[in-house]
Amino acid sequence: MAEEVYPGYPGIVVREHEGARVVQSMTWGFPVRLKGMKPTSKPKPVNNARDDKLLSPFWKYWFSTPTHRCLIPFTAFAEAEGPKGKMTRTWISVEDQPTAAWAGLWRPSDEWGNCYTGVMVDATEELFDIHDRMPVNLHPDEHDAWLDCPAEDAIALVRKYPASRLVVDRTDERWFKPRSKQPEGPTLL
């Protein structure tokens, strides 16, 4: 059984290190302190990097430096659907990939050690009723390029994945589970 991963908690990424791929556990989300937060407050995880912000000061270095790009393996990702207080999980997987890869960025942090975030784009029309954004799912033949190519080539990989190749599984599973069982938030399988 696959383990669910939540923002602010450990997940698995694949990255390049000294010419070889390594599988590593990192915290999901870049830690950030919002204005007005107490110095003793725990940072908030920024778990997604929007495609239109990749060249902004917050993301540019991590996106432009190939060694700070990673692959985030997943079997499915969840989105919340339904009215507030009654939201359920809708799982989305890649039809022909039992384990797919989401384009990611990683960096070291003082707060959590190594951490990662996933790159997002606008959702396809077919999925827009579920959520307005979707992960950048990479085709298997794009994995090497994402990890190694210059930023001007990597940006071409940041695009919508064809909805015809995605499987949507709407469930009755509650979006928010009781705190005693699991942390709240988006999940990956």
Side-chain angles (χ1 to χ4, degrees):
M1 174 88 171
E3 184 178 324
E4 293 182 5
V5 179
Y6 296 85
Y9 291 84
I12 298 294
V13 302
V14 177
R15 67 180 183 94
E16 292 281 330
H17 180 69
E18 298 178 355
R21 286 197 182 161
V22 295
V23 177
Q24 184 175 359
S25 177
M26 296 184 187
T27 300
W28 182 6
F30 283 18
V32 69
R33 293 197 173 279
L34 304 174
K35 289 181 183 178
M37 287 180 77
K38 295 177 182 179
T40 56
S41 298
K42 181 180 174 184
K44 301 290 182 191
V46 180
N47 54 317
N48 296 320
R50 289 174 38 147
D51 61 325
D52 59 337
K53 304 289 184 191
L54 290 174
L55 298 177
S56 71
F58 188 82
W59 299 112
K60 185 175 182 176
Y61 176 79
W62 312 112
F63 172 71
S64 298
T65 308
T67 56
H68 282 283
R69 288 191 222 121
C70 63
L71 304 172
I72 306 166
F74 70 95
T75 57
F77 62 92
E79 296 291 356
E81 273 198 285
K84 190 173 182 175
K86 295 185 179 188
M87 290 183 192
T88 58
R89 293 178 188 217
T90 295
W91 292 97
I92 301 170
S93 58
V94 179
E95 183 177 62
D96 58 350
Q97 295 178 50
T99 301
W102 178 12
L105 308 173
W106 78 274
R107 73 171 178 89
S109 76
D110 292 334
E111 300 88 347
W112 301 331
N114 290 341
C115 55
Y116 71 97
T117 191
V119 181
M120 302 287 282
V121 292
D122 289 336
T124 63
E125 279 185 35
E126 300 88 343
L127 300 178
F128 211 81
D129 64 318
I130 298 171
H131 196 277
D132 63 345
R133 311 276 305 156
M134 67 186 294
V136 172
N137 299 320
L138 297 167
H139 297 273
D141 62 350
E142 297 170 336
H143 295 179
D144 291 337
W146 178 255
L147 294 174
D148 298 324
C149 70
E152 54 272 11
D153 295 334
I155 201 72
L157 301 174
V158 178
R159 63 188 184 285
K160 300 174 186 181
Y161 201 82
S164 62
R165 296 187 58 205
L166 297 173
V167 177
V168 176
D169 179 21
R170 288 181 164 91
T171 71
D172 293 329
E173 184 182 359
R174 291 180 51 207
W175 179 252
F176 292 107
K177 294 184 177 183
R179 284 189 187 267
S180 62
K181 292 186 180 178
Q182 295 185 27
E184 298 176 0
T187 59
L188 293 173
L189 267 184

